[in-house]
Amino acid sequence: IIMNSFDVVIVGAGHNGLVAACYLAKAGKKVLVLEANDEVGGATVSTQAFTGFDARISSYSYLVSLLPDKIISDLNLNFECISRKVSSYTPYSKNGKDDGLLINRTWDKSNVESFNRLTGSNNESDNWQRFYDEVSKFARIVAPTLLAPLPTRSELKAKLNNDQIWNMLIEQPFGETLDQYFTDDLVKGVVLTDALIGTFSSAYEIQANICFLYHLIGNGSGEWKVPKGGMGVLVDELYKLALDLGVEIRVNSKVKSIKAGQHLVEIVLENQEKLTGNFLLSNAAPQVLAKLQGDAPPKSLEGSQIKINMLLARLPKFKSGVDAKDAFAGTLHINETFSQLEKAYNQAKSGVLPEELPFEMYCHSLSDPSVLSPELSQNGYHTLTLFGIHTPANLFDEDGEKIKQLAKERALLAINKYLLEPIEDCLARDSDGQLCIEVKSPLDLEKEIALPRGNIFHKDLSFPFKEDDSTMKWGVETDHPRVFLCGAGAVRGGGVSGIAGHNAAMALLELS
C-alpha cells in the first residue's frame, strides 16, 4: 500500500478541525483532514430534520458566543451572528396570577419593572446589575488571552487585580457566590443555568464555576448570538476556504489507529490505508484519541443534556399575555429556579430522570427568518430548540428510547403549564402525519458525532489558565510532541469557538 505523507493530518472535520486546517494551509502546510462521517461539520451542522419542510435546523450546537471576531477576520469568513433583543424570559405564577421575568439584552426600565413585579422591590435588579458588572470586568481581561499562550493562574489574577471578583468566580463554589448576591429563588436559578449547560454539576461544585465562565467571556461581552443562516453556514464557509487553500478533505474516512513516532505520525484507516504526517491534530475527544493510540482513556463527566428540535406551524400564546415573539426570541427558562435545579441534579445523580425536568427553549427563526423558506416564513412557521439539563447518559443506558419519550413528555407538559393551548397543537406535522419533533439524548450524540457519553465539551472543562507549575504553553499539548488536541477537549476548548483549532495551529507553527 502506498503511504501518503502530509505535513499535518487532522482527525475530525468539525469547525475546530477546519479552522486549524485553514490557518495551517495559509502558512503553506500540506494538510489532510479525515472525517469519519459522510459530511463535514460535526456538532456544527444544519439539517432539514423534518421531511417535506424547507427548514434548516441547527441539529446540535445552536448559538454562538465564544467564536472570536479575530478568527472571522483572520480567515475572512462570510459569517455573521445576530443579536437577540431579549436575553431571557422565565414564566411563573404568583398569587394565582401568571407573569414572567422578562430581561431585555439592553438594560432598560422594563427590566427593573419586571424584577420588581417578581420580587416586590428593586433589590434583585440592582444586585443583577452589580453582579454582571463584576463578571464583565473578568470577561474583558480573559477574552484577549484566549488566542494567546495560556496565562498562569497568578498572571491572570494579577491582570484582573481584583481579589473579590477572583474569589467569587474562581475560588469559591458558584452556589455560594449566588447565595451572597441574590435572595430570590427564580433569579438565582436564571443566573445558575449558564453554569450548568452541558455540565453535570451541583451549584456548589467548582465545575459549575468553570462552565459559567465559558458562557460569559466570549469576545469580552459574553453575548449569545444567533448564527445567520444556521450553524451550518460556519462550516460551509470554512469548508470552502479550506478547499480553496489546498486542504485535502476526506469524508467516510474513519481512523483505526494512530502511532506517533520520533519523526512521523502513522495513521491507519478502517479500510487499511496507511497515511503519515509530520504532525497530527486531533479534533476527536481525548478519550477517542487515547483509544486510537492504544492507551487507557481518561475519565470524565458524562454528557447530561437532552436536545429537542421542533418545527412550529404557529407560535403558541402564553397565559401571562407576553408576546410569544418576546418569550421565545431570547432564552425561555422552564423549571429552572435554583431549588429546582439542585433538586433535579440530586434526582439525576441518584439514577432517575428529574420529575421537573429543567430546560430552556429558543426560536432561531424569530431572529433569523432565513433558516426557513419564504413560504414557511410567510405562513407563520418557526423552528424551536429545547435544551434540557441534568439528564446524564447513564439514565439512557437501559432503555434509551423509553427515557427519551418520558423526557419529551415531561418537557412538553412543563411548557404547557404556561400556555393557553398545548404546544403539540402548534407543532407542524410531516407528510406521514407525525409531529415535527426530534429528541437527541447523550447516547445519540455519542453515536452520531462521537462525543464520549454525549459530553458536548468532550471532557470536563478547565479554567482558561494553567497552574503556575504547568509546562503547557497553548493548552493543546498531549503526551507526545507530534500530537496536539485541536477540539473541545483542549484547554479553552468547548462551544462553537474555533479557539482550540486556532491555538493548535499556532502551537504547531511554532515548531515547524
Side-chain angles (χ1 to χ4, degrees), residues 20 76-77 82 160 169 232 245 309 339 353 408 447:
N76 195 26
L77 299 176
I82 301 165
L160 177 65
L169 293 177
L245 291 168
N309 295 316
S339 56
L353 185 74
K408 181 177 77 172
K447 180 181 177 183

Side-chain angles (χ1 to χ4, degrees), residues 46-115:
S46 295
T47 58
Q48 289 192 3
F50 305 115
T51 308
F53 290 102
D54 187 4
R56 284 169 61 84
I57 306 287
S58 295
S59 303
Y60 307 104
S61 54
Y62 53 102
L63 289 173
V64 177
S65 170
L66 282 162
L67 177 63
D69 295 336
K70 185 177 187 300
I71 290 179
I72 295 175
S73 59
D74 280 355
L75 300 180
N76 195 26
L77 299 176
N78 182 22
F79 177 73
E80 64 175 293
C81 292
I82 301 165
S83 288
R84 302 187 294 175
K85 183 186 78 168
V86 174
S87 176
S88 69
Y89 180 72
T90 311
Y92 62 87
S93 295
K94 185 177 181 182
N95 300 324
K97 183 183 176 185
D98 287 290
D99 204 339
L101 179 65
L102 180 67
I103 304 174
N104 290 315
R105 185 178 61 84
T106 302
W107 193 266
D108 58 18
K109 184 181 176 184
S110 67
N111 283 0
V112 178
E113 292 171 349
S114 191
F115 273 93

Side-chain angles (χ1 to χ4, degrees), residues 306 308 334-335 344 347-348 351-359 386 390-391 395 402-418 423-424:
I306 191 160
I308 303 179
I334 302 290
N335 290 340
Q347 287 181 338
V352 297
L353 185 74
E355 294 166 12
E356 294 181 309
L357 187 71
F359 61 89
L386 183 154
H390 291 337
T391 54
L395 298 184
K402 179 182 175 183
I403 300 301
K404 278 167 61 174
Q405 180 65 26
L406 184 59
K408 181 177 77 172
E409 289 171 2
R410 289 184 180 176
L412 297 182
L413 197 63
I415 180 66
N416 286 343
K417 283 198 307 185
Y418 303 103
I423 197 167
E424 293 92 325

Side-chain angles (χ1 to χ4, degrees), residues 21 47 153 163 168 181 187 226 324 336 344 359 397 408 413 448 452 467 511:
T47 58
R153 176 184 283 262
D163 287 349
M168 73 181 237
Y181 272 81
V187 173
V226 177
E336 291 191 326
F359 61 89
D397 281 333
K408 181 177 77 172
L413 197 63
E448 293 168 14
E467 297 304 325
L511 298 176

Side-chain angles (χ1 to χ4, degrees), residues 109-363:
K109 184 181 176 184
S110 67
N111 283 0
V112 178
E113 292 171 349
S114 191
F115 273 93
N116 198 302
R117 288 199 311 276
L118 171 67
T119 65
S121 77
N122 291 343
N123 290 345
E124 290 295 68
S125 64
D126 290 344
N127 293 339
W128 180 282
Q129 291 180 81
R130 183 167 59 94
F131 174 78
Y132 280 104
D133 181 56
E134 308 282 64
V135 172
S136 69
K137 290 174 184 174
F138 186 90
R140 289 196 295 271
I141 293 295
V142 176
T145 72
L146 296 176
L147 297 179
L150 272 168
T152 64
R153 176 184 283 262
S154 296
E155 287 168 347
L156 198 61
K157 185 177 181 182
K159 209 168 190 177
L160 177 65
N161 194 28
N162 188 313
D163 287 349
Q164 179 200 340
I165 296 175
W166 181 266
N167 187 58
M168 73 181 237
L169 293 177
I170 306 297
E171 302 293 350
Q172 74 176 10
F174 192 61
E176 293 181 16
T177 296
L178 294 183
D179 290 339
Q180 291 170 0
Y181 272 81
F182 304 102
T183 56
D184 185 83
D185 192 35
L186 186 146
V187 173
K188 283 172 66 177
V190 171
V191 181
L192 177 59
T193 56
D194 278 331
L196 301 177
I197 296 296
T199 295
F200 190 52
S201 173
S202 161
Y204 296 97
E205 296 169 8
I206 292 295
Q207 196 63 35
N209 296 54
I210 303 172
C211 185
F212 181 78
L213 290 183
Y214 279 95
H215 281 88
L216 271 297
I217 61 178
N219 284 303
S221 70
E223 182 187 352
W224 285 87
K225 297 182 179 181
V226 177
K228 188 174 181 180
M231 196 63 79
V233 171
L234 174 61
V235 170
D236 293 343
E237 278 291 300
L238 289 167
Y239 179 68
K240 284 187 290 186
L241 176 61
L243 292 180
D244 288 346
L245 291 168
V247 175
E248 184 177 341
I249 300 174
R250 298 190 198 175
V251 296
N252 296 312
S253 297
K254 191 172 184 179
V255 175
K256 182 180 180 182
S257 67
I258 294 169
K259 184 178 181 182
Q262 187 175 350
H263 303 292
L264 289 172
V265 182
E266 184 178 294
I267 302 101
V268 179
L269 303 184
E270 292 279 359
N271 66 5
Q272 302 307 316
E273 182 182 359
K274 293 183 180 180
L275 308 161
T276 60
N278 294 332
F279 294 92
L280 181 133
L281 300 188
S282 174
N283 192 25
Q287 300 93 313
V288 175
L289 176 63
K291 287 180 181 177
L292 293 174
Q293 291 182 293
D295 300 328
K299 294 286 185 186
S300 194
L301 285 172
E302 295 189 332
S304 66
Q305 68 291 317
I306 191 160
K307 185 151 188 282
I308 303 179
N309 295 316
M310 291 171 262
L311 183 66
L312 296 173
R314 68 177 187 277
L315 290 172
K317 293 182 178 178
F318 282 78
K319 291 177 180 177
S320 66
V322 68
D323 190 334
K325 291 181 179 178
D326 288 332
F328 284 121
T331 299
L332 175 72
H333 296 283
I334 302 290
N335 290 340
E336 291 191 326
T337 66
F338 187 91
S339 56
Q340 283 175 317
L341 288 166
E342 282 294 284
K343 182 180 177 183
Y345 170 74
N346 287 316
Q347 287 181 338
K349 194 175 181 182
S350 72
V352 297
L353 185 74
E355 294 166 12
E356 294 181 309
L357 187 71
F359 61 89
E360 40 207 57
M361 308 174 84
Y362 106 102
C363 177

